Each structure stands twice: as structure tokens, then as C-alpha cells.
Amino acid sequence: MSDRTVGVGMIGYAFMGRVHSQAWRNVAAFFDLPVQPRMRVIAGRSKEATEAAAERLGWDEAVTDWREVVGRADVDVVDICTPGDTHAEIAIAALRAGKHVICEKPLANSVAEAEAMTAAAAAATGRSMVAFNYRRAPAIALARRLVEEGRLGEIRHVRAQYLQDWIVDPDFPLVWRLRKDKAGSGALGDIGAHIIDAAQFIAGQHLVGVSAITETFVKERPLAEGSAGLAASGGSGTGPVTVDDAALFIGRFSGGALGTFEATRFATGRKNALRIELNGSLGSLAFDFEAMNELWVSEGGRGFERLLVTEPDHPYVGAWWPPGHGLGYEHTFTHEIKDFLEAIGTGADPTPSFADGLRVQRVLDAVERSAADGSRYITVED
Ligand code: SOE
């Protein structure tokens, strides 16, 4: 086992902070790494909550200013798990301080921010990666392998959905993900970004133009606990939802495939259904994250057959359990941290890069512009 250590500093401790911490804690127990991570410090705005998170999640220290994390000599890696409105400032500062940076998706809240982050990454000595974790679900990594091997032939259709339902209740409060100033967009940038990246990754080609519609079904929501608006309103009141609840779009890929995409938080009964199907001239594949250990494959003109992706020679699986035992959501993050640490240790460039994140950001922007302009077909800048 390598004795090279990299100090890690994390910004944020909510859902993504928890699942990234799980990955930092476990990665060295299951994968041989060129460098060993040391969970040095976690940053959050609330001193009490961050200290509790450090204790629970396994960080040596807790601070309330991310700039302290970026400035520490014993921090080599900065992991950004904050809302999208802070990604650019933190990532650019960390890269300029010579740190390696992994940043949660989407890369930024705008193309301009994503361009600045990509330029900073290109000029930096540190490695950088966007945390599109679903690329590292074994079945999705296997799907990419099948397409790369030509098993599907020429890709004609890419059909992608990301279906959730956590805000169907109109009394769900106005959390930061429902505010454009914090999140940049709604279902589109949060879960639509995932299916854009996963579709482009598996198909090996990217979107060159889209036509879209978006909708906000619930336009006013109760103000969230702890929000400035709640205090100002005397403890009650509502605020406007300023992002999309659902985004649907069609698109053309650079290799000629046609794409249909649906990202919604109003698919009642669907909890985390990231679904992708590719149809090619020789065969097809289909994946549903809610059955993440399976890949359905059609070859030789036969109908779809179920492939259990739990064999030791399937991507990442050999490090875990015997066939048939299965992996979960959190394993996709451990896989991405393992690949990030391998890139740091070997001097390779991690993927998806910030440039890959910028490509997704340009699609998000084209979708929003198309939807705002009566679904006009918008070319995606290369
Ligand atoms: C949205 O609820 C969300 O938490 C996304 O932000 C994550 O990226 C996705 O993995 C699960 O759902």
C-alpha cells in the first residue's frame, strides 16, 4: 500500500457531503491506491452543525470559512459539495492555490462560470474532476464498454429520463434547489445534467442542438426554515419558485443519433429513476438506476435479456462482494473518488473533466434558451 498521503478538505456537509465522506472513509479499504486520503477538515456555515458533521462523518477538524480549507498547507484536495452558486469561486480559488479539485454537478450555474472554471483548470497544476457519479455505476460503465466495442453498431436513438417526485407536495418548502439565485435551474440542472452527461458518456457522442419545453407546476411554496425570507415575513408566508420543475427536450448528437430527454421532480412514485436506453443498428441496451445492478441488452435481433452486473470482471465490482450481492448508490461515489485519487497519484487527467462539465453546461443553457424562445431549435456551441 502506498505511503503517500493526500490531505482532503471538504466544503459542505449535507446530502452530497455525507455521501462523499462515505467515499473518502471507505475507498482505501477496498481499492489499492497510489496515494492514501486523510480526511483533514470539513467546512460549513454553522459552527455547531459542521462540528457535529466532522464528528459523525470522520473529519479531523471543522471550520466555518472555506477559504481556510483552500489556504491550508496540509490540504492537497478540495472537495466541493455546496450549492451551485458557490462552485466557481471556491474551485477557482482552490485551483489557483495549487489544490486538486473535485466539484459536485452541475459544474456551475452558468456557462460563463463554467468557462472560467475550465480555464482555471487548464492553467492549474492540480487535477480537477466533476462528480457525475452515475458514470461509475458498474452497469453504466459496462454500457459504455459495450458501445465502445461496437456491440450496438451505429447508435440511432438515445432515450434518457431522470424521474423523481420529492416536491410533488405543494407544501414542500422553498429550499435552495427551488431558487434560481442558488441552484441556477431546477430539475434541468440538478438531474437533467446527470442524464446529459451519462447519455454523452455512454453514446460516445455529444449533443449539437436541442429543442425544449420546461414547466413550473407549483409556483409558490412555504418559505423554508432558517431562510432569510421566513424571518422577514414574521415566521410564515410563501415565496416564488424561480426554477423549472420539469424539463423535456429532444436533440441531435454529433454522431447522428437522435435524443429524447425528460428530467422531472413530479413523476409521482418515481424516487430516483435515472433511465437510459440506446438503440443501435446491431442491438440495444437499457438501464434503470432503481435496479442499478442490472443492464438489459438486446443483441442478434433477440429481445432484451437481463444481465446481472455483479461479476468480478464487471467495472469496479471485483473490489466488493461475490456475484449477486449487488452494490448501491454510495458505491458510485467511492468509485469516482478511487478514480480521482488514481489520477492524482499517476498524474493522469481525471474524467469527467471541467471541460466535460462545461459541455453539459452549454446543453443546459441551450435547453433554457430554447424553452424561453418557444422551443426554437438551438445549436449547442462546441
Ligand atoms: C436531487 O434530489 C439529487 O440529490 C441530486 O442532486 C443528486 O445529484 C442525485 O444523485 C440524487 O438526487
Side-chain angles (χ1 to χ4, degrees):
M1 180 166 81
S2 158
D3 57 3
R4 276 177 63 195
T5 297
V6 287
V8 185
M10 174 178 283
I11 324 285
Y13 54 80
F15 180 9
M16 287 300 111
R18 290 172 57 225
V19 74
H20 281 226
S21 297
Q22 155 99 358
W24 289 115
R25 273 199 317 273
N26 289 303
V27 65
F30 291 90
F31 293 94
D32 295 327
L33 301 165
V35 292
Q36 302 301 311
R38 175 64 192 265
M39 297 169 70
R40 296 216 188 277
V41 58
I42 186 169
R45 282 171 302 177
S46 155
K47 184 174 186 303
E48 293 70 28
T50 309
E51 286 174 348
E55 174 73 26
R56 188 176 186 92
L57 300 176
W59 295 88
D60 293 344
E61 295 177 53
V63 298
T64 56
D65 182 354
W66 64 264
R67 292 167 186 81
E68 195 176 327
V69 174
V70 169
R72 282 176 57 145
D74 65 347
V75 168
D76 307 290
V77 174
V78 174
D79 185 352
I80 303 171
C81 292
T82 58
D85 64 322
T86 58
H87 288 183
E89 183 182 19
I90 298 172
I92 292 170
L95 288 164
R96 286 177 178 164
K99 312 299 185 186
H100 306 292
V101 176
I102 179 169
C103 181
E104 259 298 323
K105 41 49 62 180
L107 184 62
N109 282 0
S110 70
V111 169
E113 286 177 344
E115 285 173 338
M117 295 168 80
T118 302
T125 53
R127 304 290 152 191
S128 46
M129 183 193 226
V130 194
F132 283 115
N133 60 295
Y134 291 115
R135 287 187 178 208
R136 276 123 174 153
I140 287 190
L142 180 62
R144 174 60 197 145
R145 195 185 285 178
L146 297 181
V147 171
E148 228 164 14
E149 290 170 357
R151 299 270 291 274
L152 272 60
E154 188 177 340
I155 306 301
R156 302 275 163 66
H157 288 284
V158 178
R159 202 166 292 112
Q161 299 173 316
Y162 199 155
L163 312 174
Q164 294 181 339
D165 70 355
W166 55 281
I167 56 169
V168 165
D169 180 351
D171 292 330
F172 188 91
L174 191 70
V175 294
W176 70 265
R177 284 201 179 284
L178 306 181
R179 291 174 41 200
K180 188 171 184 62
D181 60 321
K182 300 294 286 182
S185 62
L188 175 61
D190 180 22
I191 53 180
H194 272 305
I195 50 176
I196 293 165
D197 178 71
Q200 295 182 144
F201 169 65
I202 297 170
Q205 49 187 296
H206 56 274
L207 284 160
V208 296
V210 295
S211 174
I213 54 174
T214 59
E215 183 55 72
T216 303
F217 298 111
V218 175
K219 297 179 173 31
E220 281 282 318
R221 289 184 178 270
L223 293 171
E225 278 303 314
S227 65
L230 190 65
S233 68
S236 64
T238 64
V241 175
T242 51
V243 297
D244 57 278
D245 287 332
L248 283 66
F249 56 99
I250 58 175
R252 286 184 182 282
F253 283 82
S254 53
L258 297 183
T260 56
F261 292 80
E262 179 182 7
T264 181
R265 292 163 167 163
F266 278 73
T268 312
R270 299 296 181 198
K271 298 307 175 182
N272 199 45
L274 186 158
R275 298 169 164 179
I276 290 194
E277 179 169 329
L278 272 68
N279 306 133
S281 56
L282 297 179
S284 293
L285 59 82
F287 170 82
D288 179 350
F289 180 78
E290 290 188 353
M292 72 164 277
N293 292 287
E294 302 176 4
L295 186 67
W296 289 77
V297 181
S298 162
E299 286 189 289
R302 295 191 305 279
F304 280 92
E305 295 165 322
R306 173 179 174 259
L307 178 63
L308 195 55
V309 188
T310 60
E311 297 300 322
D313 63 336
H314 287 146
Y316 305 103
V317 175
W320 300 98
W321 323 126
H325 288 64
L327 300 182
Y329 177 70
E330 74 280 12
H331 293 89
T332 68
F333 291 88
T334 304
H335 301 161
E336 79 179 353
I337 294 294
K338 170 255 181 193
D339 289 344
F340 188 46
L341 287 171
E342 271 184 357
I344 290 169
T346 61
D349 285 324
T351 57
S353 64
F354 277 19
D356 293 321
L358 170 58
R359 188 181 286 284
V360 171
Q361 209 75 42
R362 287 189 167 133
V363 176
L364 298 174
D365 178 64
V367 167
E368 288 199 297
R369 285 188 287 132
S370 170
D373 189 8
S375 303
R376 178 165 65 89
Y377 184 80
I378 300 280
T379 302
V380 178
E381 185 188 337
D382 201 5

